[in-house]
Amino acid sequence: MWVESMRAGGVVRQGKGERGEDGVLKMEFTVMIRRAGEGGLWAEVPALPGCYSQGETIEETLENIREAIEGHMEALQQEGQGVPPEEDLIIGKVRVSENLA
């Protein structure tokens, strides 16, 4: 569901250099979304350390993190730094025994 919402947000995978209808180069970042303990959701962008946001729904969280990414990229550019390329991200699961205590 959230992948469809990200695509609806108009982002395109970084490195492919695709341009949107407005002619502006669009970049795509992997976003990790987690449920917050106090309710709602929070998101982070592994390729952009320190880039976080939150929301009450997945859609709101995705919109908020998109705005956070744009602000983060703008700040990097103002500081004369390039936007770091997103490295391949592997997300997996590891099973461990419950009774390790």
Side-chain angles (χ1 to χ4, degrees):
M1 179 172 139
W2 68 273
V3 173
E4 294 172 356
S5 296
M6 277 193 350
R7 294 193 188 284
V11 290
V12 179
R13 175 161 293 287
Q14 178 177 357
K16 291 191 178 181
E18 295 182 32
R19 296 193 180 274
E21 292 178 13
D22 56 5
V24 176
L25 183 65
K26 303 292 181 177
M27 299 168 67
E28 180 179 89
F29 291 93
T30 299
V31 176
M32 295 177 57
I33 299 175
R34 299 182 180 154
R35 298 212 180 274
E38 62 280 357
L41 304 156
W42 66 274
E44 66 177 300
V45 183
L48 301 173
C51 186
Y52 302 96
S53 194
Q54 62 186 15
E56 292 300 316
T57 65
I58 291 176
E59 291 76 16
E60 179 184 18
T61 304
L62 286 169
E63 178 60 25
N64 292 345
I65 196 68
R66 185 184 61 75
E67 291 174 4
I69 291 168
E70 290 171 349
H72 197 96
M73 289 172 53
E74 186 176 310
L76 288 173
Q77 291 170 352
Q78 287 176 354
E79 295 172 0
Q81 300 179 30
V83 177
E86 182 173 71
E87 302 294 326
D88 289 336
L89 179 66
I90 299 171
I91 299 174
K93 291 185 179 187
V94 176
R95 184 176 294 192
V96 297
S97 177
E98 265 187 54
N99 54 0
L100 290 178

